[in-house]
Every structure is written in structure tokens, then in C-alpha cells.
Amino acid sequence: MTSEVVENEFEFYSKAEKYWKDVPATVDGMLGGYGHISSIDINSSKKFLQRFLRDGPNRTGTTRALDCGAGIGRITKRLLLPLFKTVDMVDVTEDFLTKAKSYLGEEGRRVRNYFCCGLQDFSPEPNSYDVIWIQWVIGHLTDNHLSDFLKRCRAGLRPNGIVVIKDNMAQEGVIMDDVDSSVCRDLDVVRKIIRRAGLHLLAEERQENFPDEIYHVYTFAMR
């Protein structure tokens, strides 16, 4: 649990904010020097997401998506804008959102809102989103804040909407990274937090073809 590794909550958040302020507003910056895996990541995410967007009585809509921890908009540009009519972005680093406006190009006109805010303080507009995508950012929230944020995400979904988490998973327990002030949880801890938020897991998948030296990455869909 994060309570065992996060000694000072205020410091945990402020140190992370400071870390990201110094990161270059590039795809390589967003991916910690692993910019070359971006296409593998996006293609897998697209396949995962499209199974919920296909025809059927419980089909997830394609009107509006929310990109959480959006950075410069890598996922917004390559995954969400091609599939959804409009997208909102939320990130704690103002410079990244400023950069996004040029990085997204013409299609960026369909980004309705750029919210500059930490997810621990952010509330998605109720009943508004078909998909809330949360990638490589849950490690910057304590367990309680993550659970509370997921509850607010649940309220932000439209009928048949889904919340998706894609993130690094530790082999066991919770591991602190002092460099960017984040934690990495194991699968069991993440599943418990999802349940605690009142969400039901619909699908879970391990990312393939990533470099061996990085954490295993898993994608979860829930509602």
C-alpha cells in the first residue's frame, strides 16, 4: 500500500510536479527516453479499445473521451482523436498542454478542454465521457486518491462508457521511485483499488513486445 512507502503526501505530489516541469515536452520526454515504443503502445491500445467500440447492444459510444495525465497529447493525437468526435485533456504540467496545441496540429481543434490539474484534485464532468483513458499516471496518486479519482471517473461515464487504466505493474507489493516521485503497484493491489472504487473489471491484458528491462505493462477496462 502507498501508505507504507509515501512518508509525506505533500512532498510526494510537489516533488513529482517539479520533476515533470524539467522534462522536455517531446514524445521521448513523455516516455522517459523510450519514444521508440510509442507505436507499439498505440497499436495495442487501439486493438484493446476497439473491442468495446464494435457493434452490439452494450457498445461504447464514440462521442467524447478524456485523456488523463495527457502530457503533450501523444495518446490524444494517435489513439483518441482518430476514434472520438471530441477529446478533453488533463495534465498537471502547463507547459505540456501549451505544447499540445501545436503538437496536435489541425485535428487539435476537436480538443474541447485543456485542464491543468493534478488528478487528485480533478473531477470529470458527470455523465460526459464514453472513454476515460488513464495511462502511465496512476503511480502519481496515493491509494486513497486513486480510489477516489476512479469513483469520480465512474460518475463521469456516459451509458456503456468505460474507464481504461494502462500502466506499469510491479512483480510484488508497492515500489517507490524517488526520481519522479511515483509508485509502482502489483496487479493485486491495483485490482483491489479498482474494486474499492466500485468499478467492475471487463478486461485485462498484458502489453506485448515492450523492452525486457522495463516493468510489465497491463491494460484494464472497467465500468
Side-chain angles (χ1 to χ4, degrees):
M1 306 297 280
T2 52
S3 55
E4 290 162 20
V5 293
V6 176
E7 287 170 22
N8 181 319
E9 201 175 273
F10 175 79
E11 210 173 87
F12 175 67
Y13 285 112
S14 56
K15 200 174 161 189
E17 238 177 282
K18 187 175 181 300
Y19 169 84
W20 285 105
K21 276 198 171 85
D22 295 332
V23 168
T26 61
V27 169
D28 212 41
M30 300 303 97
L31 294 176
Y34 282 87
H36 60 284
I37 68 170
S38 186
S39 289
I40 299 167
D41 168 57
I42 295 288
N43 291 337
S44 298
S45 294
K46 198 169 281 184
K47 272 188 197 148
F48 182 87
L49 188 50
Q50 278 175 327
R51 71 175 86 166
F52 297 98
L53 307 180
R54 295 195 189 108
D55 292 336
N58 297 318
R59 190 176 78 88
T60 298
T62 54
T63 302
R64 194 172 170 199
L66 174 65
D67 185 359
C68 300
I72 63 169
R74 181 185 74 90
I75 290 162
T76 290
K77 179 173 183 157
R78 298 194 52 200
L79 176 68
L80 301 177
L81 281 172
L83 295 172
F84 296 87
K85 289 190 181 77
T86 63
V87 178
D88 287 348
M89 293 170 61
V90 54
D91 197 274
V92 75
T93 308
E94 200 163 349
D95 285 353
F96 294 166
L97 295 174
T98 302
K99 171 71 177 180
K101 288 167 189 175
S102 58
Y103 171 74
L104 294 171
E106 278 296 293
E107 292 297 293
R109 286 180 304 181
R110 294 190 289 114
V111 174
R112 293 180 8 145
N113 295 295
Y114 297 87
F115 299 109
C116 188
C117 188
L119 298 183
Q120 69 275 18
D121 299 315
F122 182 73
S123 293
E125 192 185 321
N127 193 33
S128 293
Y129 297 104
D130 296 297
V131 169
I132 296 177
W133 194 272
I134 309 165
Q135 183 161 347
W136 280 321
V137 70
I138 65 167
H140 285 301
L141 296 174
T142 63
D143 290 351
N144 287 340
H145 281 156
L146 177 55
S147 175
D148 289 347
F149 176 61
L150 290 175
K151 284 175 191 168
R152 298 193 297 274
C153 286
R154 197 181 75 198
L157 293 178
R158 300 179 68 203
N160 296 323
I162 57 169
V163 176
V164 178
I165 287 175
K166 186 169 187 177
D167 222 302
N168 301 336
M169 297 294 139
Q171 288 290 93
E172 191 180 347
V174 179
I175 299 163
M176 183 77 190
D177 184 338
D178 282 320
V179 177
D180 67 355
S181 190
S182 69
V183 295
C184 186
R185 302 168 172 94
D186 71 25
L187 281 165
D188 282 344
V189 173
V190 173
R191 289 187 198 115
K192 272 179 196 150
I193 293 169
I194 288 168
R195 284 198 299 272
R196 203 169 106 198
L199 286 159
H200 171 66
L201 261 180
L202 304 171
E204 179 185 307
E205 183 175 282
R206 184 178 159 190
Q207 171 71 50
E208 294 178 350
N209 303 317
F210 268 9
D212 291 337
E213 71 271 16
I214 66 173
Y215 283 115
H216 292 168
V217 171
Y218 278 79
T219 312
F220 307 88
M222 61 209 94
R223 65 162 65 104

